[in-house]
Each structure stands twice: as structure tokens, then as C-alpha cells.
Amino acid sequence: MEVSLDGRAALITGGSRGIGKAIAESLAACGACVAITGRDENTLKASCAGLLNNSNGHIAIPVDLREAGGPERAAAKTVEHLGRLDILVCNAESASTYGAFEELGPDDWRESFELNLMHAVNAVTAALPHLLESPFPRVIFISSLSALEPGSYNPHYTVMKAAVLNLAKVLANSYARQGILVNSIYPGSVMTVGMEDFVNHLAVEGGSPVPAAHSDFEAREVAKIPLARIGMPDDVGPLAAFLASDLAGWITGASFAVDGGKSSHV
């Protein structure tokens, strides 16, 4: 079997780096025309230029999805440039502050709400009219294993990621009759810029050298993972491509772990 996305048009939020970039690469490699969004225009353009099958006319859309009208511009630009919108991947996320519950203030919670939940709500709202016109519409949310198995740190992030899983299920139920398939992926420990920033924060907070903090963090994480390695963004991309394809035509409302076996729930 071959995963083919020939003729499909995809919009990936937060597609300039990390997991979003890997998803964009997988979808493009399977033949999709890809639009990626991000806030850093230079990084975004470089990532777009590196996608396979550039003859498909991939496009980079610099936009802050938190701004009023940002999601609408992204969806409109995608359709204007690619002619349609069949696949929406909601990946954009951020944790610009870190802390335990008692260390977080109202502004931290509001910012996480906007970055990690409302961006997805608004992206789906903007894409929905176009998805309803597609003969094979797909929505894929990127959540986190911490949504199901939170620790005691960064609850403002883990709570919003849990809400993303709930949102995916609600939308799967709501739009099944219209043929929109909605699924979610929750990666475990994946080496991304976001993870590096988090470990850098831990190093500063603990007063330890950054290289040592990274080494200690990786050792602790690997010890929790049966496959004995930290994940890479490329471990996530192929699953997203499969869920976007016709091979996943009877899958909706499902959530998939990509975590090397780390999750402990059944």
C-alpha cells in the first residue's frame, strides 16, 4: 500500500519547524500541495523551500494566529494559492512561561489558552467552509502525551492540550455526517526547539550548565521510554500523512500516541 495525497491541499499551522515541519514534509512527499504558517518569516520561507515536490506550488504564510483575522487570512491564502483546502493540521503551540501551579498567574493561563487551544478553534472555524466543499476533508490536531498523563509542572500547557483532545472528539462527532474526519495525535518526548527551550529554562532555574541539564533530562526521559530513545519530529509526520489519506477513510474521533511506548494508560 502506498500513502498518496496527490491533488490534495493541506494547511499546517506552526509548520516552519519541529513536528509541524515534519508533517509538512511527509504530506508533501506523498504528493500534497502544502501551505504552512508561522511567525518567523525567514524560517518559514526556508522550510517551505525545502519541501519535496515544489512543482505543487507550496506556500509559506507568515501570520500570527492569535491576531484577529489571522486564521481567516491563512485559510483564504491557502485557497487562493492552492485552489482548495482538503487537510487542516492544527499544530501551532507554545509555552512561553514555565512553572508549577502556584507559580503561574492569570496572564500565563490566558496566554496558554490563546496559544494552545483558541488557535485550533479559530483555525477550524476559518477552514470549515472550505473543508465542507472538499470530497475528502481531514482535520488533524497535534496534542501531547501530557494531556493524558500530566505531571506537576506546566499545568497551563497540559490542561489546554487535554482540551485539544476533547475538541477533536467533539468535532468528529459534529461533522461525521458531512464527511469531515477529525483525529488527533499526542506525541511523547520529541526533540523540538520547544523541548530545548524548556530544558534551557530548567538549567537556568537549577543553576546548572546547559549541556549537563540536557544530558540529565535526556537520560531521565529515555529511562521512561521502552524504545529507549527520545522521539524525533520525523516519527510523527508519517502518521499524519496516513490519517490524511484515503487509507484512513473509516477513522475519525480517534487519538494516537507516538511516544516510544512511554504512555502507561491502556
Side-chain angles (χ1 to χ4, degrees):
M1 291 185 295
E2 179 181 351
V3 175
S4 174
L5 297 172
D6 289 344
R8 314 285 170 94
L11 169 61
I12 298 127
T13 68
S16 65
R17 63 183 193 176
I19 290 173
K21 180 182 177 182
I23 291 173
E25 290 171 343
S26 288
L27 268 59
C30 292
C33 307
V34 173
I36 57 175
T37 75
R39 287 176 281 174
D40 184 328
E41 186 168 357
N42 291 332
T43 301
L44 189 68
K45 288 182 176 179
S47 296
C48 186
L51 294 174
L52 293 175
N53 296 319
N54 263 314
S55 60
N56 284 352
H58 309 309
I59 180 175
I61 306 174
V63 65
D64 188 336
L65 296 174
R66 297 169 299 176
E67 294 180 352
E72 289 78 11
R73 287 197 302 276
K77 277 284 187 183
T78 300
V79 174
E80 176 186 341
H81 190 80
L82 302 181
R84 57 193 298 157
L85 177 53
D86 306 297
I87 304 158
L88 172 66
V89 181
C90 294
N91 169 74
E93 63 166 20
S94 180
S96 57
T97 59
Y98 309 98
F101 181 82
E102 66 274 11
E103 298 171 318
L104 300 169
D107 288 344
D108 299 315
W109 284 90
R110 277 191 287 268
E111 182 177 43
S112 185
F113 174 72
E114 292 294 334
L115 286 170
N116 296 302
L117 178 59
M118 285 310 299
H119 106 268
V121 172
N122 294 333
V124 173
T125 301
L128 191 56
H130 308 292
L131 292 171
L132 288 169
E133 294 180 357
S134 169
F136 21 66
R138 304 285 192 271
V139 179
I140 301 168
F141 291 94
I142 307 302
S143 181
S144 167
L145 176 59
S146 64
L148 295 176
E149 298 184 6
S152 58
Y153 208 65
N154 293 340
H156 60 324
Y157 175 82
T158 63
V159 167
M160 300 310 162
K161 283 302 190 180
V164 167
L165 292 179
N166 189 281
L167 173 64
K169 187 63 174 178
V170 168
L171 293 174
N173 293 339
S174 300
Y175 292 99
R177 295 297 183 184
Q178 287 97 320
I180 301 179
L181 306 187
V182 185
N183 294 290
S184 54
I185 300 171
Y186 53 96
S189 299
V190 176
M191 187 56 67
T192 63
V193 173
M195 176 181 282
E196 292 176 356
D197 289 344
F198 174 58
V199 178
N200 291 343
H201 166 80
L202 294 178
V204 172
E205 189 177 62
S208 61
V210 170
H214 278 269
S215 179
D216 291 346
F217 177 84
E218 183 168 351
R220 289 196 304 272
E221 285 302 301
V222 167
K224 303 173 190 175
I225 301 171
L227 291 184
R229 70 171 176 86
I230 297 287
M232 299 302 291
D234 288 344
D235 292 315
V236 182
L239 176 57
F242 167 75
L243 291 173
S245 75
D246 291 341
L247 296 176
W250 205 52
I251 301 175
T252 193
S255 299
F256 298 86
V258 182
D259 62 3
K262 180 182 177 181
S263 55
S264 58
H265 64 278
V266 177

